[in-house]
């Protein structure tokens, strides 16, 4: 059986997209294909919600709009997928805001450590004019548009080498972080050695001891089976993470207003299901992971918070814009 490389698949998709533009309007209206990628495994609620949205759209349009989903990083790393959406080779991707900061610096603030007091604060801010402002910059600079926001969860540490009870235990700790500058700065503020890795490489890196630990929400730790390669779960709650559904704005603009409304409504419905699923999982997963063999630790939270807030907001103020951190705090 012939297997296409990711590059060949993406190039081929771009060619097909170009071909669809040349089709007669009647035929084009009969078959609209939107390709939606996600780095998470199918056991995680994020790609499951994409499948739900796809099914709803397909049912309501009689198959006229076909959203094809590609979970588990099938189409490349997080950065690869975002770049593919920007170029038009992909239509959509679900990704963290911090990574998008590599393309539009301001937007990474919404996944900064300790920016949110609680999930309600995050939700309130992302439904405010702030999100419209950030979206406007994203469209103008990169041709990307946010059409959905989901709750990814509260991020915690895990360790395979030693228990972590306070930030003092982080000195020299090889911590896998996403390939994002704010995450690296957080790890450095803790005295750790940040090791950027794509998520798809994480399990192997942990199993081989290439890194000592990582940080992610509990549902991600569970779905990626990280308990198999990590001994300690440290409940640091250092970041409350939103994930964004990003679409290529040119492709989005080609849909009729009615179709855009229908697709966005399906994404909103599926995202609400995902948010509830994540909250439900979070409520019981620490206990479940403990029963599966992990040692659950409640560390000195202030020792983690203090060095990050002493350095990170000032360090990134020029990137985010003067006063934006304080504006978000006041919401």
């Amino acid at each position: 059986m012939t297997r296409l490389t990711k590059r060949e698949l993406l190039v081929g998709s771009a060619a097909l997209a170009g071909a669809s533009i040349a089709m007669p309007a009647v035929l084009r209206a009969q078959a609209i294909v939107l390709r939606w990628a996600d780095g998470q495994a199918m056991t995680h609620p994020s790609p499951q919600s994409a499948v739900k949205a796809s099914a709803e759209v397909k049912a309501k349009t009689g198959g006229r709009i076909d959203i094809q989903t590609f979970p588990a990083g099938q189409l490349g790393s997080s950065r690869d997928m975002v770049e593919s959406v920007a170029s038009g080779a992909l239509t959509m991707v679900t990704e963290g805001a911090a990574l998008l900061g590599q393309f539009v610096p301001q937007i990474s603030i919404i996944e900064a450590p300790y920016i949110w007091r609680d999930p309600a604060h995050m939700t309130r801010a992302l439904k405010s004019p702030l999100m419209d402002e950030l979206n406007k910059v994203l469209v103008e600079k990169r041709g990307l548009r946010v059409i959905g926001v989901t709750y990814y969860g509260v991020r915690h540490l895990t360790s395979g080498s030693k228990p972590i009870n306070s930030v003092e235990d982080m000195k020299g700790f090889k911590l896998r972080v996403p390939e994002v500058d704010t995450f690296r700065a957080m790890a450095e503020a803790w005295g750790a050695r940040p090791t950027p890795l794509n998520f798809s490489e994480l399990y192997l890196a942990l199993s081989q001891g290439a890194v000592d630990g990582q940080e992610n929400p509990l549902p991600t730790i569970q779905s990626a089976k990280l308990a198999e390669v990590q001994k300690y779960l440290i409940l640091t709650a250092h970041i409350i993470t939103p994930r964004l559904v990003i679409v290529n704005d040119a492709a989005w603009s080609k849909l009729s207003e009615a179709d855009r409304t229908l697709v966005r409504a399906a994404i909103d419905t599926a995202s609400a299901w995902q948010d509830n699923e994540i909250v439900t999982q979070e409520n019981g997963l620490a206990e479940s992971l403990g029963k599966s063999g992990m040692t659950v630790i409640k560390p000195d939270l202030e020792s983690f918070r203090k060095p990050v807030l002493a350095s990170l907001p000032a360090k990134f103020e020029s990137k985010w814009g003067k006063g934006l951190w304080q504006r978000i705090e006041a919401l």
Side-chain angles (χ1 to χ4, degrees):
M1 181 177 65
T2 302
R3 297 179 63 86
L4 294 177
T5 66
K6 290 173 184 172
R7 179 177 178 82
E8 289 169 335
L9 184 57
L10 293 179
V11 169
S13 299
L16 286 174
S20 68
I21 295 172
M23 290 168 62
V26 173
L27 293 178
R28 190 163 66 247
Q30 292 176 347
I32 299 172
V33 176
L34 309 178
R35 303 173 71 248
W36 185 353
D38 195 317
Q40 292 298 316
M42 262 318 295
T43 50
H44 190 278
S46 180
Q48 291 173 13
S49 73
V51 171
K52 287 179 178 293
S54 172
E56 179 176 336
V57 169
K58 194 167 188 175
K60 288 186 174 179
T61 64
R64 182 174 55 82
I65 299 178
D66 180 17
I67 299 179
Q68 299 175 356
T69 60
F70 300 86
Q74 291 178 37
L75 301 184
S77 68
S78 294
R79 186 179 181 90
D80 290 339
M81 290 186 289
V82 173
E83 288 180 337
S84 293
V85 174
S87 72
L90 265 175
T91 318
M92 301 159 64
V93 65
T94 304
E95 190 47 72
L99 184 130
L100 286 165
Q102 298 179 41
F103 302 88
V104 177
Q106 299 95 313
I107 204 165
S108 69
I109 196 171
I110 68 176
E111 198 179 351
Y114 305 111
I115 186 72
W116 307 120
R117 293 185 295 276
D118 50 43
H121 179 208
M122 182 191 79
T123 299
R124 185 164 61 252
L126 297 186
K127 289 183 178 179
S128 77
L130 168 70
M131 195 67 237
D132 295 333
E133 294 167 23
L134 293 174
N135 210 4
K136 184 174 184 291
V137 176
L138 193 61
V139 171
E140 290 175 350
K141 289 191 174 182
R142 296 295 302 190
L144 300 170
R145 180 179 294 276
V146 179
I147 57 170
V149 178
T150 65
Y151 173 60
Y152 188 54
V154 180
R155 300 178 84 101
H156 304 282
L157 290 172
T158 66
S159 168
S161 57
K162 65 176 183 178
I164 305 290
N165 293 291
S166 77
V167 79
E168 292 298 316
D169 297 323
M170 294 296 291
K171 293 193 184 310
F173 186 86
K174 291 183 292 184
L175 179 66
R176 178 271 172 181
V177 294
E179 299 170 288
V180 172
D181 53 4
T182 49
F183 280 73
R184 288 195 296 269
M186 175 186 70
E188 289 166 354
W190 288 338
R193 292 167 54 191
T195 308
L197 283 174
N198 190 53
F199 185 78
S200 63
E201 302 169 340
L202 178 56
Y203 184 96
L204 183 61
L206 292 170
S207 68
Q208 294 180 340
V211 291
D212 298 318
Q214 63 86 54
E215 53 76 55
N216 259 303
L218 296 177
T220 304
I221 293 169
Q222 170 76 1
S223 64
K225 302 181 179 180
L226 300 187
E228 296 176 354
V229 289
Q230 295 280 270
K231 293 174 61 177
Y232 303 97
L233 171 62
I234 305 98
L235 300 177
T236 46
H238 51 276
I239 297 176
I240 299 174
T241 297
R243 290 185 96 218
L244 308 176
V245 181
I246 307 296
V247 67
N248 176 276
D249 191 57
W252 184 246
S253 299
K254 289 174 185 173
L255 298 179
S256 69
E257 183 176 350
D259 283 345
R260 290 197 298 269
T261 298
L262 188 151
V263 171
R264 193 189 288 270
I267 290 172
D268 287 346
T269 299
S271 296
W273 171 85
Q274 177 190 325
D275 293 354
N276 289 332
E277 185 67 17
I278 292 286
V279 169
T280 299
Q281 290 188 19
E282 283 187 311
N283 287 340
L285 268 176
E287 181 180 357
S288 175
L289 289 166
K291 289 179 179 178
S292 73
M294 296 189 85
T295 299
V296 181
I297 297 172
K298 295 182 179 179
D300 176 359
L301 295 180
E302 191 58 27
S303 74
F304 283 89
R305 179 190 300 270
K306 189 174 180 179
V308 173
L309 291 180
S311 61
L312 195 140
K315 183 174 183 177
F316 289 94
E317 184 176 58
S318 61
K319 174 178 178 174
W320 293 330
K322 188 173 180 62
L324 185 56
W325 182 283
Q326 292 75 19
R327 179 185 167 192
I328 290 175
E329 280 188 317
L331 289 171

